Amino acid sequence: MHYIISTLEVCLMPHSDQMLTSVSIGQRCVLADINTEKLNEATRRRLAELGFRPGITVTITQKINSGGRVVKIGSTRYAIDGPTARQLHVNPIPA
């Protein structure tokens, strides 16, 4: 069974307590929230420049030893360090 999640449904999803670091490789998820209080200004600005905002769909493609993740948004991959990845809260999309 496949699920289709609309943009409206994503916007109505409650805040997630699941961190990006807890998602398995290959899992697709929706970015629910960014805990900007624990990120410095440069990191917040860079995430915004790269398009990381609540509601986007990301796929976890690789785990990094330091706790970071490589995520794919569309056809582009981004490496996220561990401390930043722990501030990104997600809602997994059912397979």
Side-chain angles (χ1 to χ4, degrees):
M1 176 178 282
H2 295 281
Y3 295 91
I4 298 174
I5 297 178
S6 71
T7 303
L8 177 60
E9 290 173 317
V10 168
C11 292
L12 296 176
M13 285 182 175
H15 169 76
S16 173
D17 288 327
Q18 188 168 358
M19 293 182 289
L20 184 70
T21 54
S22 68
V23 178
S24 302
I25 293 176
Q27 176 71 50
R28 291 179 65 226
C29 51
V30 175
L31 185 60
D33 186 39
I34 301 172
N35 185 3
T36 57
E37 295 174 2
K38 293 189 177 181
L39 298 174
N40 64 45
E41 179 61 31
T43 302
R44 289 194 303 266
R45 185 174 44 252
R46 187 65 179 145
L47 287 173
E49 290 169 349
L50 295 174
F52 282 80
R53 62 190 175 284
I56 62 166
T57 300
V58 301
T59 303
I60 310 306
T61 61
Q62 187 177 352
K63 291 184 178 183
I64 300 170
N65 287 341
S66 63
R69 299 291 183 267
V70 176
V71 299
K72 184 170 80 167
I73 300 174
S75 61
T76 306
R77 293 173 190 237
Y78 300 100
I80 308 293
D81 65 89
T84 301
R86 285 187 285 280
Q87 304 312 313
L88 303 178
H89 300 271
V90 297
N91 289 315
I93 297 174

